[in-house]
Amino acid sequence: MRFERMLPHQIRHAIAENTPVALALGVMEYHGEHMAVGMDLLAVTEILTRLEAEMDLVILPPFAYGAASYAVAGPEGTGSMDIDASRISALAEDMFFALLRIGFRNIHGIIHHQSENFTAGMPTDLAFKFAARRALFRYLQETRGEGWWGDNAMADYYAEHATGSDPFNWIKIHPLMGPEVTAHYPFDHAGAGETALMMALAPDVVEAARMAQNTAWYTSSASEATPELGAKGVSLIMAEIRKRLS
């Protein structure tokens, strides 16, 4: 269900059922001459749309304005937009804090951009990871008071931590394509992997005839993309995200 279309009684039901709440995180970035600049965001939103049809899920309005960087291409005439990660983090913290105040305890941010080294992190995902931690500490201190962690009521914290039920699991940030996917599907930028994914998820944003206009090394494999390869990627991603949300 789309959060912006929910009535209060539906929100209260989602809270009571601990329904997963998903936030698509993305950037606007040049993906060659043959593909839309919103590829990174579309990959997430299209997957969430498919998951929404098969499971209880609250989908938040997507966040599109991440820190793309200009490492791939400058902004002039390409569509790339690079937003300062510190400003993103401040906004994200308030967003997460607001979601916690509403009552959600099963919040998931999902990102595709620059997520090949997700453990080390890149500006956009790090901004949201940092924001999530700050929002959690802020919320816990405001609702439980100073010294909340040292209180005897938290004596089972380490046991809860081991089972993944501690408060710091209320907000999680995930890559769209984790190791389970990339072991079997190409991770690239505007190459065969991403192009095929869009052929399967949103074919209207790929113009194969324009591949000949590409000159960058990272687009050299784009011509190898097929809808069948993309369908394989979709299946792998769906399985992984389904597991993470459950």
Side-chain angles (χ1 to χ4, degrees):
M1 184 170 289
R2 305 297 164 135
F3 179 70
E4 67 272 21
R5 303 183 71 90
M6 295 175 73
L7 276 64
H9 75 90
Q10 294 170 316
I11 292 172
R12 290 190 289 270
H13 179 75
I15 292 168
E17 295 296 315
N18 201 33
T19 302
V21 177
L23 171 63
L25 305 175
V27 301
M28 298 294 108
E29 183 182 37
Y30 181 69
H31 278 76
E33 295 297 309
H34 67 290
M35 194 154 56
V37 295
M39 183 275 155
D40 288 331
L41 181 68
L42 290 168
V44 183
T45 57
E46 293 294 328
I47 289 292
L48 290 178
T49 295
R50 285 160 173 75
L51 286 172
E52 183 186 18
E54 65 174 56
M55 65 184 294
D56 289 333
L57 181 64
V58 175
I59 301 179
L60 297 167
F63 182 87
Y65 302 104
S69 87
Y70 297 131
V72 168
E76 292 81 5
T78 70
S80 288
M81 299 177 65
D82 183 46
I83 310 302
D84 189 297
S86 63
R87 295 189 176 93
I88 295 170
S89 189
L91 173 63
E93 180 184 337
D94 284 346
M95 288 170 55
F96 285 140
F97 186 77
L99 292 169
L100 291 171
R101 287 203 60 187
I102 288 169
F104 293 126
R105 298 291 184 268
N106 192 7
I107 303 164
H108 302 264
I110 303 171
I111 187 169
H112 178 58
H113 175 67
Q114 294 180 333
S115 58
E116 64 270 31
N117 295 309
F118 191 72
T119 301
M122 285 289 191
T124 301
D125 61 270
L126 286 173
F128 276 89
K129 290 176 183 176
F130 184 55
R133 284 292 179 261
R134 283 184 56 86
L136 283 164
F137 272 104
R138 177 178 158 196
Y139 179 80
L140 290 166
Q141 182 163 312
E142 288 192 14
T143 56
R144 300 185 183 183
E146 294 182 354
W148 64 269
W149 188 86
D151 190 274
N152 287 334
M154 292 295 295
D156 59 351
Y157 169 77
Y158 286 112
E160 289 185 350
H161 186 79
T163 62
S165 60
D166 68 281
F168 295 109
N169 277 301
W170 291 351
I171 307 173
K172 298 178 181 178
I173 311 297
H174 312 283
L176 182 71
M177 297 172 61
E180 299 91 339
V181 174
T182 57
H184 305 285
Y185 189 83
F187 191 105
D188 56 34
H189 179 81
E194 287 196 338
T195 302
L197 203 59
M198 284 296 96
M199 285 178 171
L201 289 171
D204 59 302
V205 306
V206 179
E207 293 188 10
R210 295 189 182 274
M211 291 179 186
Q213 299 174 18
N214 290 324
T215 58
W217 66 268
Y218 51 83
T219 59
S220 61
S221 67
S223 60
E224 302 169 14
T226 64
E228 292 74 24
L229 175 62
K232 174 185 176 182
V234 171
S235 179
L236 290 167
I237 292 168
M238 289 275 288
E240 181 170 340
I241 299 301
R242 190 183 295 117
K243 181 173 64 176
R244 291 182 184 275
L245 294 181
S246 62

